[in-house]
Short mmCIF file of all heavy atoms in Angstrom, two decimals:
data_model
loop_
_atom_site.label_atom_id
_atom_site.label_comp_id
_atom_site.label_asym_id
_atom_site.label_seq_id
_atom_site.Cartn_x
_atom_site.Cartn_y
_atom_site.Cartn_z
N PRO A 255 -56.20 72.62 -77.43
CA PRO A 255 -54.74 72.81 -77.58
C PRO A 255 -54.37 74.24 -77.94
O PRO A 255 -53.36 74.75 -77.48
CB PRO A 255 -54.39 71.85 -78.75
CG PRO A 255 -55.51 70.88 -78.83
CD PRO A 255 -56.73 71.55 -78.26
N GLU A 256 -55.22 74.91 -78.73
CA GLU A 256 -54.90 76.28 -79.14
C GLU A 256 -54.97 77.24 -77.94
O GLU A 256 -54.15 78.13 -77.80
CB GLU A 256 -55.87 76.78 -80.22
CG GLU A 256 -55.87 75.97 -81.51
CD GLU A 256 -56.69 74.70 -81.37
OE1 GLU A 256 -57.82 74.77 -80.86
OE2 GLU A 256 -56.19 73.62 -81.77
N ALA A 257 -55.97 77.03 -77.10
CA ALA A 257 -56.18 77.95 -75.98
C ALA A 257 -55.28 77.65 -74.80
O ALA A 257 -55.21 78.44 -73.86
CB ALA A 257 -57.64 77.92 -75.56
N SER A 258 -54.59 76.49 -74.82
CA SER A 258 -53.75 76.12 -73.69
C SER A 258 -52.41 76.83 -73.77
O SER A 258 -51.45 76.31 -74.31
CB SER A 258 -53.51 74.60 -73.68
OG SER A 258 -54.71 73.92 -73.46
N ASN A 259 -52.35 78.04 -73.23
CA ASN A 259 -51.10 78.78 -73.31
C ASN A 259 -50.45 78.94 -71.94
O ASN A 259 -49.47 79.65 -71.79
CB ASN A 259 -51.35 80.16 -73.95
CG ASN A 259 -52.47 80.90 -73.24
OD1 ASN A 259 -52.88 80.50 -72.15
ND2 ASN A 259 -52.98 81.95 -73.86
N GLY A 260 -51.04 78.29 -70.93
CA GLY A 260 -50.44 78.35 -69.61
C GLY A 260 -50.77 79.63 -68.86
O GLY A 260 -50.32 79.83 -67.75
N ARG A 261 -51.55 80.52 -69.47
CA ARG A 261 -51.91 81.77 -68.78
C ARG A 261 -53.39 81.74 -68.44
O ARG A 261 -54.23 81.60 -69.32
CB ARG A 261 -51.60 82.98 -69.67
CG ARG A 261 -50.13 83.31 -69.76
CD ARG A 261 -49.93 84.64 -70.48
NE ARG A 261 -50.39 84.59 -71.87
CZ ARG A 261 -49.65 84.14 -72.88
NH1 ARG A 261 -48.44 83.70 -72.67
NH2 ARG A 261 -50.14 84.14 -74.10
N PRO A 262 -53.72 81.86 -67.16
CA PRO A 262 -55.14 81.86 -66.80
C PRO A 262 -55.80 83.17 -67.20
O PRO A 262 -55.17 84.23 -67.15
CB PRO A 262 -55.11 81.73 -65.27
CG PRO A 262 -53.76 82.20 -64.87
CD PRO A 262 -52.82 81.96 -66.01
N GLU A 263 -57.05 83.08 -67.62
CA GLU A 263 -57.78 84.30 -67.96
C GLU A 263 -58.50 84.82 -66.73
O GLU A 263 -58.99 84.05 -65.93
CB GLU A 263 -58.81 83.98 -69.06
CG GLU A 263 -58.20 84.01 -70.45
CD GLU A 263 -59.13 83.37 -71.46
OE1 GLU A 263 -60.34 83.62 -71.36
OE2 GLU A 263 -58.65 82.64 -72.33
N ASP A 264 -58.61 86.10 -66.61
CA ASP A 264 -59.23 86.82 -65.49
C ASP A 264 -59.16 86.05 -64.18
O ASP A 264 -58.13 85.94 -63.55
CB ASP A 264 -60.71 87.20 -65.76
CG ASP A 264 -61.02 87.36 -67.21
OD1 ASP A 264 -60.14 87.90 -67.91
OD2 ASP A 264 -62.12 86.98 -67.64
N SER A 265 -60.30 85.47 -63.82
CA SER A 265 -60.38 84.89 -62.49
C SER A 265 -60.11 83.38 -62.50
O SER A 265 -60.29 82.72 -61.49
CB SER A 265 -61.78 85.15 -61.93
OG SER A 265 -62.73 84.57 -62.80
N GLU A 266 -59.70 82.87 -63.63
CA GLU A 266 -59.49 81.42 -63.72
C GLU A 266 -58.33 80.95 -62.85
O GLU A 266 -57.36 81.68 -62.63
CB GLU A 266 -59.17 81.04 -65.16
CG GLU A 266 -60.37 80.86 -66.04
CD GLU A 266 -59.94 80.56 -67.47
OE1 GLU A 266 -58.72 80.44 -67.74
OE2 GLU A 266 -60.83 80.43 -68.31
#
Side-chain angles (χ1 to χ4, degrees):
Chain A
E256 300 80 47
S258 295
N259 52 14
R261 284 189 297 275
E263 277 166 41
D264 333 322
S265 59
E266 276 177 3

